[in-house]
Amino acid sequence: MPNSAQLETFTAGVETAVDVAQIERQLRELWQLAAESEKDPSQRQITRACLFNFVVLCETDAEASHATEVVSTLTSHHPCRAIVLSAVSDAAQSELSASISAHCHLAGTGQKQVCCEQIAIHATGQSVAHLGSAVLPLLESDLPTVVWWPGNFLNRLDLFRRLVAVADRVIYDTSMWSDPQPQLARLAQVITEHPRCSFTDLSWTRLELWQKLAAEFFDESHCRAELTHIRAVDVVYGSGPGAGVRALLYGSWVAAQLGWPVAEARANIHLSASDDRDTTSVGMLSVAIKTDDAVFSVRKNHGERVASATIDMPNACGLPRKRAFWPTDDASLLSQELDHPGRHPVYEKALAMAVAVLETGSG
Amino acid sequence: MDTQNTLATNPLREGIDARQAPEPCALVIFGATGDLTHRKLVPALYNLAHEGQLPQSFAIVGFARRPKTHDQFRAELRESVAQFSRFQPINPAVWDALAQAIFYHQSEFADANGYKSLGEFLQKLDAERGTAGNRLFYLATAPTEFIGIIQQLGANDLAQADRTHGAPPRIIVEKPFGRSLSTAQELNHELSSVFGERQIFRIDHYLGKETVQNIVALRFANEIFEPLWNQKYVDHIQITVAESLGVEDRGGYYDKSGALRDMVQNHMMQLLSLVAMEPPTVLEGEAIHDEKVKVLRAIRPIKPDQVQQFTVRGQYARGSMAGKPVPAYHEEKNVAPGSRTETFVALKLFIDNWRWAGVPFYLRHGKRLPKGVAEIAIQFNAPPAVLFAAESSAPLQPNALVLRIQPDEGIAIRMNAKVPGNAINLQPVKMDFRYGGSFGTRSPEAYERLLHDAIISDSTLFTRRDEVERSWQIIDAIIEGWDTAPAPFPYESGSWGPTEADEFIQRDNREWRRP
């Protein structure tokens, strides 16, 4: 049975080594001790909260360390049981070790802390093959399981298939894949093969403000008629990882939502990389949706975390709208996505269109 | 509601946001220099701007008596937003864009010329800011100004739809909506002579609270609760809205109003009707209003000669709050000497329909109670004790489902569990769901939701004329009875009300909860 000093260490976020087979028992005893401490008003008041299982698959120690930081931030808004897996296959020795810790946050204005547990499992060499069997018993029953794969799961399909079998959702970031465009077809195929799992690309999440501003143009009744007359979607993107794939997804989104045939999409979507070498010119830079009579523009303001939307059209209100971008660090993007559970059919349609456009282009 | 329609016409909306971007609009706030505007309305508008939920073409026009420039008004509002917005610190880009849409219009409320020039100014904004003739008026003044402003809006053609724009102007009316059935009817009459019912939005900010909206979700999105939600399984329901504050600087207003008018007629009757209503056919304004008003109509009126049987009223005396002495109500500023105004009220109501026949609804509200809390507790029947009577010394506690509205919003279920050990001892335990702990995000302020809904003409979370009038009908009869009843019972500040309130519920072999 752990003592109060161990509870203090655990809730302070310090990792405590534990035998893999003893993880559940150790956690149960720590939480029981916390519940007993709650009766003593002089003790710290702690509540455990858990809404889902959050499994993170890391392929390097640096990734695992980053994942722990992300989990620490994320749990303040999305309480979960975090299971951070490090799968270092290329190590000479085979090892499987585990540790537990907690991430605690003050709840509201009170003194009560809401805590979430993190289980870290480190596997090297041959032990990586056994990671799946270590994870499954640790999943909280009756709660959804979200897998965050910071790297490229297409390179680890063996492990991926074991995790996706129990996952309700897989989150990944094609912007961080090296040369993602040729891999989109394979990604789309994997998504089709797993209809009960929701797939979320953080590249898509980064496009949300761009999409929202474009959609708002056409909420207004006097602009709506222009939707059927769009003849070009010009997307300019800058430097930074994944900017090109995001521009492609964006153009494909417009095409898929408007029901364009692939050939029309290929003809109307114009993607161009900016020559601007300014360090602030990263990611998407501008979008212009053009009809015969109007141009609907969204532009990232130079050096600012703000986008402006304008309409150039006779008798239209031409006042620019400004909207701040969400932060694009991993914790913020994940938090944004976890607020919206369920499949992303619009993303899947856009991805299918992107794949079709690429295939037609290469053919 | 409108989502399907929006998707049919704007395919780019799909999957982005269920809520439609509002049409262009100009919001005119009467009483723009008052507390409500500064503490609630403009911070809520800033929050909406921050979330990108204001119309693309939008303008706020503050209408008030004091002379002021646009820039002075903007600077004052910025300070308020910095203090009261839930997004801290202020995002300069968002504020600057919103500030450009803020204007000030100085006029007396009774001056017809002020309304003529307001109309001209709004037309200018239509041209310059694209607000397209779509108007929303907000009455945030003292209630004594309401009728005069409504009449002026009518007389100066500001309540009519612009020729080039389909949406008729809407008006939001703050509480108190009258102080009796007759004054509410008079206000309704004045409103309906100028605006159609669909143009009128009677605000009850409780309905904008996330947890109040969650009552409908809890009841109708969970199959396990609704089958038990009736007279077969529910023993009684307690609705408590407790305040730790006294009347503060509202003594003059409160002394003419009292607890029953101030809280029960509006907020608590709305909570009651949401808890007790039948499932609406659709989640739309009219359908929900229809079900709520059916509940209000089914409430058995308390006749004037029954007030001592079904009500208790109290008035706070001296006492202490958080370790500090506090004065009695009659010692507060602007309270009339010898005032008989109640600061505490407890009611027992019955809803005479199939679902609730014989189930008492206890409503309790008071000022200077030990803590500020609002909750609805559904107390279920006690289980038959035959199995555990011999083994357990204490009687079994009935199950309770508690919906906490504020603070610490959440839902708790009390159930009985066996205490570990060889003996069969039972102890009530609480299963507790807290919004803050589970979702971690701060809920939008009630005014954010309500302002947004008024801008897009969705009246679901507002009260309809028949709801207000039926509610006043019930309240009026009680007030009539109190006129000839003994004075309110004094209770010590910092206590849970007069001892007579405890005796009142104990006569039914029940106890008040201690929230």
Side-chain angles (χ1 to χ4, degrees), chain A residues 271-303:
Chain A
L271 312 179
S272 52
S274 167
D275 294 332
D276 194 344
R277 296 285 168 229
D278 190 313
T279 50
T280 59
S281 300
V282 293
M284 297 262 292
L285 299 181
S286 70
V287 172
I289 299 172
K290 296 175 178 170
T291 69
D292 289 335
D293 299 321
V295 179
F296 302 89
S297 305
V298 183
R299 178 175 297 278
K300 184 153 105 180
N301 291 10
H302 193 79

Side-chain angles (χ1 to χ4, degrees), chain B residues 442-474:
Chain B
R442 289 188 67 181
S443 300
E445 297 287 337
Y447 276 99
E448 277 172 56
R449 176 65 196 265
L450 295 171
L451 278 166
H452 180 272
D453 284 4
I455 289 169
I456 62 167
S457 300
D458 182 348
S459 69
T460 307
L461 300 178
F462 294 82
T463 53
R464 203 169 62 184
R465 177 179 187 153
D466 48 359
E467 290 175 63
V468 172
E469 292 186 0
R470 173 58 187 159
S471 181
W472 272 121
Q473 207 175 1
I474 296 162

Side-chain angles (χ1 to χ4, degrees), chain B residues 221-234:
Chain B
N222 294 289
E223 187 63 12
I224 59 170
F225 297 121
E226 196 52 25
L228 309 178
W229 213 267
N230 57 52
Q231 36 81 18
K232 285 187 183 167
Y233 298 99
V234 174

Side-chain angles (χ1 to χ4, degrees), chain B residues 2 27 54 71 99 114 129 145 157 197 220 258 279 295 318 350 372 378 381-382 399 426 432 437 439 450 490 495:
Chain B
D2 291 322
L27 169 67
L54 285 182
D71 282 339
R129 297 199 58 83
E145 307 286 356
D157 292 331
E197 180 63 23
F220 304 124
V295 172
R318 289 181 185 177
F350 286 96
I378 293 102
N381 292 329
N399 298 129
L426 299 181
D432 207 353
F439 291 115
L450 295 171
S495 73

